[in-house]
Amino acid sequence: MAGRDELLKPIWHAFTALDVDRSGKVSKSQLKVLSHNLCTVMKIPPDPVALEEHFKDDDEGPVSNQGYMPYLNRFILDKVQDNFDRVDFNKMCWTLCARKNISRTHLLISEEDAFKVWCIFNFLSEDKYPLVIVAEEIEYFLRKLTEAMGGNWIQEKFNAYKAQLARKQNCLSAWELIELVGMGHFSKGMDRQTLSMGINEVFQELILDVFKQGYMMKKGHKRKNWTERWFVLRPSSISYYVSEDLKEKKGDIVLDRNCCVESLPDKEGKKCLFIVKCADKSFEISASDKKKKHEWIQAIQTCLNLLRLGLPSPHREARQKRRELRRKQQAEQEELEDQMKRLQATNENRQHELETLRKKLEEAAAKAAREERMRLQTQVELQDRYRMDLEREKMVRQEMEQQVAQKSSELEQYLQRVHELEDMYRLLEEALEDERQARQDAEAVRKLQARLLEEEASKRAELEHMHLQQQRAIFRTEAEKQELRNERLAKETALQGAMEQLALLESERQGALEQYQEVMKKLEDATNKTQSWKNKVAHQEGLIRLIQPGTKGPQKITNWGPSAFTEAELNVREKNWQEKKNRPAQTQ
């Protein structure tokens, strides 16, 4: 979570913007609105009772910064959690103070870029109020901005500006820094888009803690397919999006002390693979080349090491080291000044003592005129003793001056070594970037040549195959034409005969249908006539049996003659006979 000092800086800008008459005080109504907005954007449950109680209307008038701090600490900063969007928090404070302090008529950057420079100023500024950024931090920011734009850092140009900056106590306010960047003094030759991209890159690194970002392929957990995603590495997570505009977020890989990253061998047609293992899931990722794979593995491992050691991000640690170095140098400078003052005071005291002693010697010489020999001897001894003291003091002073000169030379050598190391680091990064670009260009040309050769070979094979097929088709065409002609004649003859047979069958089917209808009508009449008789004699089984039309299938013959029983009646009789046969056996 951001430190309290980092949260206080944007709030200080907002408070200062509300102080219209620059009296150091803001009206209570404005502070109510500011406090409510802070609670909203920082997701803190508001306390209306405490707000009204602290800022109730009375005769005391506006509230100063010191009067607002108790409420701010107790009801806002003490309750803040790491669940709010710091960019929205900074945006809210920026909105209050930007219009009052920025005139965009002569700036080369947009309001969004000015906001990012303002956030960078709050990050690099000293923890003292009013907020300022010192020359060393200005150089650090401008150097990173120049590198992000792909330009060359000119130290002589900044040294000339630093000489002008000495008139302003070697520091700038936030609005002076925005004007410096917006005027393009250190970005000449760069277009506005390049400057905006450079500001955005420095903003993401310093403010959003983005260690690394870029396109890679990710293997899905459900469908096991590979999809290209834009990955963004932060100290405690790896977020992946559909594209680099960061509008559609697909997921997060939460990093903790138990996570690890390992390289994987090539498989499934994918190269440059590595895996991020977490407690509940593992994520397989494919980089574009081996260099990118090594860079990503190293960056993720750095984040995991920082999490295990509980250390802040590198740029925050570097900022702290620069501040400690400045404090150390300032303390050494103050110590040297104190030593010089003490030496000067000691020297003045010695001079005063010598002057007093000289007067005493003169008085003693006047009084000891009678004892000239003894007085002369005593005077010689005293002169010798004080001469030795003077020589000793002179030697001490020379030694102190030599120490001061040595300290100064060592400090200059140290600063020179720091600058040389920074230049070597920048040159090394440029050389690595040139090498990476050359490899990418060579790989792209090689892939293009291979693809063109493959396409040419495939097209040549297709043309040869088509030529052979055309030759074969020409030879077969004449024979097939004659054969098809004969087949057509035979089929026409067969079709004519089939049509005649079909007409004959149709006439026969029509006659058979008419006969069937007549038979069905007669059968229906006979059924109606015999229905009444069937009801009367149904209980007299075997005595009288109505003759009904038999089935067209084979008829069953009994001792009563053909068709004496229906199929159902015969089944019933057979079932009764079987039961009578089985009954004696069951009785026995």
Side-chain angles (χ1 to χ4, degrees):
M1 188 177 72
R4 179 166 299 200
D5 292 335
E6 295 186 12
L7 296 177
L8 280 174
K9 291 178 180 180
I11 298 175
W12 177 84
H13 282 291
F15 185 93
T16 305
L18 296 176
D19 181 14
V20 180
D21 55 359
R22 300 184 183 276
S23 62
K25 295 184 178 181
V26 178
S27 65
K28 294 180 179 179
S29 60
Q30 289 178 318
L31 289 180
K32 285 182 182 180
V33 176
L34 175 62
S35 302
H36 180 75
N37 291 337
L38 288 175
C39 290
T40 301
V41 77
M42 300 173 79
K43 297 182 179 180
I44 299 173
D47 191 348
V49 177
L51 184 66
E52 293 296 333
E53 179 67 23
H54 196 82
F55 297 108
K56 60 184 178 181
D57 294 331
D58 51 27
D59 297 332
E60 295 181 3
V63 179
S64 65
N65 189 13
Q66 290 77 12
Y68 182 55
M69 282 302 296
Y71 175 83
L72 182 65
N73 287 322
R74 180 180 177 186
F75 294 100
I76 297 180
L77 296 182
D78 288 346
K79 298 180 180 181
V80 70
Q81 302 293 328
D82 198 16
N83 59 347
F84 68 96
D85 191 339
R86 296 194 194 103
V87 177
D88 292 342
F89 164 72
N90 287 322
K91 277 278 188 183
M92 189 273 293
C93 297
W94 162 262
T95 304
L96 293 175
C97 61
R99 292 183 180 179
K100 179 181 177 182
N101 296 282
I102 290 184
S103 175
R104 298 195 64 255
T105 55
H106 58 283
L107 295 182
L108 301 177
I109 59 177
S110 64
E111 184 176 352
E112 181 68 20
D113 293 334
F115 162 70
K116 293 176 180 178
V117 174
W118 180 76
C119 293
I120 295 171
F121 166 85
N122 291 334
F123 177 77
L124 297 177
S125 61
E126 300 297 303
D127 295 334
K128 299 178 181 179
Y129 296 91
L131 294 175
V132 292
I133 181 171
V134 297
E136 182 181 359
E137 298 296 336
I138 297 174
E139 180 181 1
Y140 172 77
F141 167 57
L142 294 177
R143 186 187 292 272
K144 290 192 75 66
L145 180 60
T146 304
E147 293 174 356
M149 294 188 296
N152 295 323
W153 175 253
I154 304 175
Q155 186 64 38
E156 293 78 9
K157 187 175 181 180
F158 181 78
N159 291 338
Y161 173 75
K162 191 175 180 180
Q164 300 176 3
L165 192 63
R167 304 170 189 172
K168 299 182 179 181
Q169 298 180 350
N170 288 323
C171 60
L172 292 177
S173 66
W175 318 113
E176 291 172 338
L177 180 64
I178 293 174
E179 184 177 2
L180 174 65
V181 177
M183 293 295 291
H185 183 66
F186 287 91
S187 59
K188 290 182 179 180
M190 301 289 183
D191 55 12
R192 294 190 176 189
Q193 184 178 5
T194 304
L195 178 58
S196 177
M197 293 174 63
I199 293 173
N200 184 60
E201 182 175 339
V202 178
F203 174 79
Q204 288 189 344
E205 179 183 353
L206 298 183
I207 307 304
L208 301 183
D209 287 337
V210 174
F211 278 32
K212 191 170 181 60
Q213 55 185 344
Y215 279 108
M216 291 190 294
M217 302 293 291
K218 174 186 169 295
K219 186 177 182 180
H221 285 92
K222 295 182 178 179
R223 292 188 293 177
K224 304 300 181 183
N225 59 334
W226 290 88
T227 309
E228 186 179 47
R229 299 296 185 210
W230 177 263
F231 286 81
V232 177
L233 173 62
R234 295 184 177 89
S236 60
S237 66
I238 305 174
S239 303
Y240 50 95
Y241 304 80
V242 173
S243 60
E244 56 186 305
D245 57 9
L246 306 182
K247 292 183 178 179
E248 186 177 353
K249 186 175 182 181
K250 302 302 291 184
D252 290 309
I253 303 175
V254 180
L255 302 178
D256 54 28
R257 297 182 177 183
N258 299 321
C259 295
C260 66
V261 58
E262 298 177 358
S263 177
L264 291 179
D266 299 342
K267 64 179 181 178
E268 299 177 5
K270 295 295 179 181
K271 298 182 178 180
C272 304
L273 297 173
F274 64 93
I275 184 172
V276 179
K277 295 181 179 180
C278 300
D280 53 347
K281 285 184 180 180
S282 295
F283 300 85
E284 294 186 20
I285 302 173
S286 172
S288 58
D289 52 44
K290 291 184 178 179
K291 182 180 179 183
K292 288 285 184 66
K293 170 185 174 181
H294 177 71
E295 290 176 353
W296 273 97
I297 291 177
Q298 189 173 8
I300 295 172
Q301 189 61 52
T302 300
C303 292
L304 294 177
N305 291 337
L306 292 175
L307 287 173
R308 294 188 182 104
L309 297 176
L311 298 177
S313 55
H315 56 269
R316 294 181 183 274
E317 187 176 1
R319 178 190 64 177
Q320 187 64 28
K321 288 183 179 179
R322 293 194 302 273
R323 289 180 177 178
E324 292 176 356
L325 179 60
R326 284 198 299 273
R327 285 196 291 266
K328 183 178 179 181
Q329 291 175 351
Q330 185 177 2
E332 291 178 353
Q333 185 68 25
E334 291 176 355
E335 184 179 357
L336 289 175
E337 291 177 357
D338 291 341
Q339 289 180 358
M340 292 297 294
K341 289 179 180 179
R342 288 196 297 270
L343 288 174
Q344 186 176 2
T346 303
N347 190 20
E348 289 177 357
N349 292 332
R350 291 295 179 90
Q351 291 292 338
H352 181 68
E353 291 177 0
L354 289 174
E355 183 66 22
T356 303
L357 185 58
R358 186 180 63 79
K359 290 179 180 180
K360 289 181 178 180
L361 288 174
E362 289 178 356
E363 292 175 359
K367 290 180 181 180
R370 294 184 299 270
E371 300 177 354
E372 185 175 357
R373 186 179 299 173
M374 185 180 294
R375 188 67 75 175
L376 287 174
Q377 185 178 359
T378 305
Q379 185 178 3
V380 170
E381 292 177 355
L382 290 173
Q383 287 178 352
D384 291 339
R385 186 178 65 184
Y386 286 110
R387 188 181 297 109
M388 292 177 63
D389 292 339
L390 287 173
E391 289 178 355
R392 189 180 299 108
E393 178 186 353
K394 185 177 181 180
M395 291 177 61
V396 171
R397 184 173 59 187
Q398 289 177 354
E399 289 178 357
M400 295 301 296
E401 290 176 352
Q402 290 177 358
Q403 289 180 1
V404 171
Q406 183 178 0
K407 290 288 185 181
S408 300
S409 62
E410 287 177 357
L411 179 60
E412 292 176 356
Q413 291 176 0
Y414 177 77
L415 293 176
Q416 183 177 1
R417 286 199 297 272
V418 170
H419 293 320
E420 290 176 354
L421 289 174
E422 290 178 349
D423 293 338
M424 290 176 63
Y425 180 75
R426 177 178 54 79
L427 294 174
L428 179 59
E429 285 187 342
E430 292 177 355
L432 290 174
E433 180 64 23
D434 294 341
E435 181 183 358
R436 182 187 66 79
Q437 187 64 36
R439 288 185 178 179
Q440 288 182 351
D441 295 342
E443 182 66 18
V445 171
R446 186 187 66 77
K447 290 181 178 179
L448 178 60
Q449 291 177 349
R451 183 172 59 80
L452 292 174
L453 290 174
E454 290 176 359
E455 290 179 355
E456 182 180 358
S458 63
K459 289 181 178 179
R460 184 177 297 172
E462 289 177 0
L463 290 174
E464 291 178 356
H465 183 65
M466 291 173 62
H467 178 69
L468 292 175
Q469 287 181 346
Q470 289 176 355
Q471 292 294 330
R472 293 173 184 172
I474 290 171
F475 289 126
R476 289 196 303 266
T477 302
E478 294 298 329
E480 290 177 353
K481 281 183 180 180
Q482 185 63 35
E483 185 178 354
L484 290 173
R485 196 177 293 116
N486 295 335
E487 288 180 358
R488 182 174 61 80
L489 292 174
K491 287 181 179 180
E492 288 178 354
T493 305
L495 179 62
Q496 187 66 30
M499 291 296 291
E500 293 175 356
Q501 291 179 2
L502 181 61
L504 180 60
L505 290 173
E506 183 66 21
S507 61
E508 291 177 355
R509 186 187 65 80
Q510 190 66 30
L513 181 61
E514 292 174 355
Q515 292 176 1
Y516 175 76
Q517 290 176 351
E518 291 176 358
V519 170
M520 289 299 295
K521 186 176 181 181
K522 292 178 181 180
L523 180 60
E524 185 177 359
D525 294 338
T527 302
N528 292 333
K529 290 178 181 180
T530 56
Q531 182 66 35
S532 60
W533 289 99
K534 284 177 65 177
N535 294 332
K536 293 179 180 180
V537 298
H539 61 283
Q540 300 292 333
E541 181 180 357
L543 297 179
I544 300 176
R545 180 150 322 265
L546 297 178
I547 300 173
Q548 295 179 350
T551 60
K552 293 182 180 182
Q555 298 178 351
K556 295 185 180 294
I557 300 174
T558 64
N559 55 341
W560 282 283
S563 300
F565 300 102
T566 62
E567 184 72 24
E569 290 173 343
L570 186 59
N571 290 335
V572 171
R573 285 179 176 271
E574 183 178 359
K575 184 177 180 182
N576 293 335
W577 176 79
Q578 190 68 30
E579 289 178 354
K580 291 178 182 179
K581 183 179 178 181
N582 294 334
R583 194 177 295 125
Q586 292 176 357
T587 304
Q588 293 175 1

